[in-house]
Amino acid sequence: MPIEVIFPKVDMDMASGTIADWHKAEGDLVDKGEALFDIETDKATMEVESPGTGKLHFVSAQRGDEVPIGQVVAWLFADGEEVVSQGGIPAPAESHLSQEPAAIQTGEDTRIDTPKFDDGVRATPVARRIAKDRGIELLLVVGTGPRGRITRADVEGYVDAAEKVAAVVPASMPAASAKTGAQETADELGLCYDLIPVNKMRSVIAARLTESKSTVPHFYLDADIQLDALLELRGKVNAAGAEAGKRKISINDFLVKACALALMKVPEANASWDGDQIVRYQNAHISVAVAVDGGLVTPVVREAETKDLRGVSGEIADLADRARAGTISSAELKGGSFSISNLGMLGVKSFNAIINPPESMILAVGQGVEQFVPDDNGNPKLATVMSVTLSCDHRVVDGALGAVWLQEFKSLVEFPLGIVLV
């Protein structure tokens, strides 16, 4: 009996994904569990294993195609099984979105009934009727039924979510994907330009950050922090580590650990807004912003307060390497309770970062710059000063609470022995 190759749901937030590449070609023999194709989500590229053993036929989604969850993208035929193209199996040259599967005819005259659909989406008749009545594009709805099938509850949940967003986002605000008229203006003036397609990661970043700035009441707290004691301690730690052949600890590693310890000292700030309640985390899960090709991801160092400095450093390096290689899992990019974004190594003195919901705070870190500051006697002394900006969600973190957290963080950085000893 032929086996369907279904486009799987590899991330709870995804309604569709992109075929990044096929490991097998039409007619190739594939073993169960063998890597079959790669999916590009908004966060990473992930391998999909073959659901069975057989020869690959009727591949209906090619590299670069965006495919809805639950869509059949190919079929596997066992050895000796007749390869036919009837009803349920789309011919290779035809679009998988234009098919209306009904049944499959095999060599043993065995028929497999499959759900009918005319838009490439698996959905119940009731869900389709509601979506049609409300003018909803089913490709935008995430299905929770078997094999990603969209149910009535899924459509109604989508409607409720859309109404909540509409209630808080001004009607005049353009959608994240709306055209700005730049191309039209450039054409009118005869300007030369290139058109760069927006990849899935960049599209999701645009949507999420637009939503964050539209729905989360941001406010910002700035502080200047002297780094000299931390730089001196870091030098000693790395010198001792070099003798043992250990990798160097970065300033950012110290800062991530300091963020975690500050959250433990001010637990009220380690929280998220969740409608009619606040979720307060018992551990510090620090999201670390990492630039990758085409965008930005935030892998999470879980329970960072429980790990020593070298443990934090090694985990950050591993997560960052796998994020850039596209092999990081979606679970490792979720569940942060606080974010840190460091642009100091790029010469940026200060900036305001956008909160990554459902987190309530993000720390923007700038470059350490030498400048004169007063010493204990009021005399000028040369010091290395780092500017930081804390973005807070006012629904969860009030100004005084954010200031207390920032004071604890500053104290840890300026007297860094506590970061190493904890």
Side-chain angles (χ1 to χ4, degrees):
M1 181 179 297
I3 300 173
E4 291 178 321
V5 178
I6 303 293
F7 193 87
K9 184 175 185 177
V10 296
D11 191 327
M12 286 298 294
D13 298 330
M14 68 183 292
S16 64
T18 302
I19 299 285
D21 205 0
W22 282 90
H23 295 284
K24 297 293 182 177
E26 184 82 19
D28 284 354
L29 180 62
V30 185
D31 293 325
K32 184 176 182 179
E34 189 175 4
L36 190 54
F37 61 92
D38 293 337
I39 291 179
E40 177 192 351
T41 70
D42 58 293
K43 299 170 182 172
T45 300
M46 304 179 189
E47 283 188 349
V48 175
E49 297 179 351
S50 174
T53 299
K55 286 188 176 181
L56 185 69
H57 288 289
F58 304 115
V59 176
S60 58
Q62 305 302 321
R63 179 178 181 180
D65 287 353
E66 184 160 353
V67 184
I69 300 303
Q71 171 66 45
V72 178
V73 294
W75 295 82
L76 294 171
F77 288 80
D79 189 31
E81 200 166 37
E82 183 181 359
V83 179
V84 294
S85 178
Q86 294 184 12
I89 306 178
E94 298 177 0
S95 167
H96 64 280
L97 295 178
S98 63
Q99 300 303 313
E100 190 170 323
I104 304 167
Q105 181 71 38
T106 69
E108 300 175 352
D109 197 28
T110 303
R111 303 182 70 84
I112 305 174
D113 293 325
T114 60
K116 290 187 176 181
F117 56 92
D118 55 11
D119 53 4
V121 180
R122 293 177 179 273
T124 64
V126 175
R128 287 188 177 279
R129 177 175 55 78
I130 296 174
K132 183 178 180 181
D133 292 344
R134 301 299 295 267
I136 296 170
E137 173 57 64
L138 282 174
L139 286 172
L140 301 176
V141 182
V142 178
T144 60
R147 293 188 298 179
R149 189 179 177 94
I150 296 172
T151 65
R152 174 177 184 167
D154 297 328
V155 177
E156 291 175 342
Y158 178 87
V159 172
D160 290 342
E163 289 176 347
K164 289 179 181 178
V165 172
V168 294
V169 178
S172 60
M173 177 172 292
S177 60
K179 295 183 182 296
T180 63
Q183 182 180 350
E184 183 177 334
T185 301
D187 288 339
E188 179 183 344
L189 299 177
L191 305 180
C192 298
Y193 60 87
D194 295 320
L195 290 178
I196 312 299
V198 177
N199 63 21
K200 192 170 186 65
M201 178 183 293
R202 178 55 58 189
S203 177
V204 171
I205 289 173
R208 283 182 59 83
L209 295 187
T210 299
E211 179 185 3
S212 177
K213 287 292 286 185
S214 304
T215 62
V216 176
H218 287 58
F219 73 92
Y220 307 95
L221 300 172
D222 300 323
D224 288 335
I225 302 176
Q226 294 185 34
L227 286 179
D228 299 272
L230 187 147
L231 293 173
E232 182 181 357
L233 179 60
R234 174 177 176 258
K236 293 178 179 179
V237 169
N238 284 335
E243 296 178 0
K246 296 181 179 179
R247 65 186 302 276
K248 287 186 176 182
I249 305 295
S250 71
I251 294 176
N252 199 58
D253 298 332
F254 276 91
L255 299 182
V256 169
K257 183 63 187 284
C259 287
L261 295 177
L263 287 172
M264 292 298 96
K265 290 177 177 291
V266 190
E268 298 86 355
N270 191 29
S272 292
W273 179 261
D274 193 25
D276 58 351
Q277 56 193 351
I278 292 176
V279 177
R280 184 173 295 172
Y281 303 97
Q282 297 179 3
N283 298 98
H285 310 294
I286 309 298
S287 301
V288 183
V290 176
V292 298
D293 288 343
L296 182 79
V297 294
T298 52
V300 181
V301 180
R302 305 208 181 279
E303 301 180 7
E305 82 284 359
T306 67
K307 299 169 181 175
D308 63 25
L309 190 57
R310 289 203 178 275
V312 169
S313 177
E315 187 167 341
I316 292 173
D318 174 63
L319 289 168
D321 287 344
R322 290 191 289 112
R324 294 187 182 103
T327 58
I328 196 168
S329 71
S330 60
E332 293 172 303
L333 300 170
K334 295 179 178 179
S337 63
F338 182 97
S339 285
I340 179 170
S341 179
N342 190 343
L343 293 179
M345 69 288 292
L346 298 177
V348 175
K349 188 177 186 302
S350 66
F351 65 103
N352 295 341
I354 300 174
I355 295 170
N356 182 27
E359 298 170 17
S360 296
M361 297 196 299
I362 180 171
L363 185 70
V365 179
Q367 180 185 31
V369 178
E370 286 191 340
Q371 63 185 64
F372 284 100
V373 298
D375 62 13
D376 294 337
N377 298 318
N379 298 317
K381 69 172 183 178
L382 191 62
T384 303
V385 179
M386 173 183 72
S387 295
V388 300
T389 302
L390 181 67
S391 303
C392 304
D393 180 349
H394 215 318
R395 298 173 301 179
V396 181
V397 180
D398 293 326
L401 180 59
V404 170
W405 183 92
L406 196 53
Q407 285 178 342
E408 291 290 349
F409 174 78
K410 178 176 180 176
S411 178
L412 283 163
V413 175
E414 293 189 335
F415 303 94
L417 198 57
I419 299 175
V420 177
L421 295 180
V422 176

